Amino acid sequence: DVKVTQSSRYLVKRTGEKVFLECVQDMDHENMFWYRQDPGLGLRLIYFSYDVKMKEKGDIPEGYSVSREKKERFSLILESASTNQTSMYLCASSLWDISYNEQFFGPGTRLTVL
Amino acid sequence: TQLLEQSPQFLSIQEGENLTVYCNSSSVFSSLQWYRQEPGEGPVLLVTVVTGGEVKKLKRLTFQFGDARKDSSLHITAAQPGDTGLYLCAGAYYGGATNKLIFGTGTLLAVQP
């Protein structure tokens, strides 16, 4: 059974803290993605990676960075958490051409920044 | 900037009713995917449509890709409580070095028994 796992389901952090969200996939996929999901806004792409050590900014990269040191692992970093980063964070992976290949999603991390 | 608008945003219906969800854009997409997300889970792919005018059926769900590949619809016949969830469309387009996917705003469907 293919899987994308995320390190935490729920996380509560304080303003200014550095936050790490981890994502691991077991499907040997080239692409990995980080999205945030807010009501009425759908999924918005933060960053994606199409190979180890390669990354591209998505639509809302400000305040975030990413790291992909191994093919199966993609980390999202909030350098200094702020209250407007309270959201649901979803990680996904897919084979190379996302036009025709399914994105497999993890269960999400609900982050609250106080 | 690519935009995908879904309508309606919310839909609450009785079991057995029919419904249609729309996904619209002014941009052309190379393909269009539909996902369903249940509470506490990530989205799961339902279908991918690639050709303008294409119609795909998945049991009681019918998906259509517009002739100009700018819009899509999802029609559910005789809805059941198990259809409850958030429906998301996602359009693929060429974004420079790689193809990219943009998600719609989502339609939250509640089917009452």
Side-chain angles (χ1 to χ4, degrees):
Chain A
D1 196 19
V2 295
K3 270 207 167 156
V4 177
T5 56
Q6 296 184 227
S7 50
S8 306
R9 293 297 295 262
Y10 300 93
L11 213 49
V12 179
K13 295 291 181 181
R14 297 220 172 263
T15 301
E17 279 193 79
K18 191 168 186 175
V19 182
F20 293 87
L21 302 182
E22 301 282 332
C23 175
V24 178
Q25 52 100 359
D26 66 358
M27 295 165 279
D28 201 34
H29 284 166
E30 294 87 1
N31 295 328
M32 294 190 75
F33 309 84
W34 275 107
Y35 295 92
R36 66 175 281 175
Q37 183 174 28
D38 301 287
L41 297 178
L43 271 64
R44 292 180 293 166
L45 182 64
I46 304 171
Y47 269 96
F48 74 98
S49 168
Y50 51 88
D51 201 352
V52 175
K53 297 191 187 293
M54 304 303 288
K55 60 186 179 186
E56 273 204 29
K57 293 180 180 179
D59 299 316
I60 50 165
E62 296 78 20
Y64 303 95
S65 62
V66 290
S67 171
R68 193 169 181 197
E69 296 297 316
K70 293 186 177 181
K71 190 175 185 180
E72 67 270 20
R73 190 179 297 270
F74 193 35
S75 303
L76 179 69
I77 304 145
L78 286 67
E79 298 291 343
S80 176
S82 64
T83 54
N84 63 12
Q85 292 179 309
T86 291
S87 187
M88 171 69 85
Y89 290 86
L90 289 163
C91 175
S93 72
S94 77
L95 289 170
W96 171 246
D97 189 344
I98 62 170
S99 297
Y100 309 106
N101 290 296
E102 177 177 1
Q103 288 201 15
F104 292 87
F105 284 86
T109 296
R110 184 163 293 282
L111 172 67
T112 301
V113 183
L114 302 175
Chain B
T1 305
Q2 307 280 348
L3 281 175
L4 261 180
E5 296 286 339
Q6 282 184 242
S7 61
Q9 192 173 0
F10 302 102
L11 199 51
S12 180
I13 61 172
Q14 294 296 125
E15 182 174 1
E17 290 185 34
N18 300 334
L19 66 117
T20 302
V21 176
Y22 298 94
C23 177
N24 295 296
S25 176
S26 58
S27 304
V28 176
F29 296 105
S30 56
S31 69
L32 202 294
Q33 298 177 347
W34 284 92
Y35 289 79
R36 180 169 70 207
Q37 183 178 20
E38 297 183 12
E41 303 294 331
V44 175
L45 182 70
L46 296 172
V47 79
T48 301
V49 284
V50 248
T51 308
E54 181 177 2
V55 176
K56 275 192 175 177
K57 291 193 175 183
L58 203 68
K59 297 183 182 178
R60 294 175 294 99
L61 279 59
T62 302
F63 304 85
Q64 183 160 10
F65 200 10
D67 290 341
R69 306 207 316 275
K70 293 182 179 181
D71 53 82
S72 181
S73 64
L74 157 60
H75 182 79
I76 301 179
T77 303
Q80 298 177 2
D83 296 326
T84 293
L86 178 68
Y87 288 81
L88 293 157
C89 62
Y93 64 98
Y94 181 67
T98 63
N99 286 328
K100 294 184 177 178
L101 202 64
I102 182 165
F103 280 83
T105 48
T107 294
L108 188 59
L109 171 65
V111 182
Q112 313 295 337

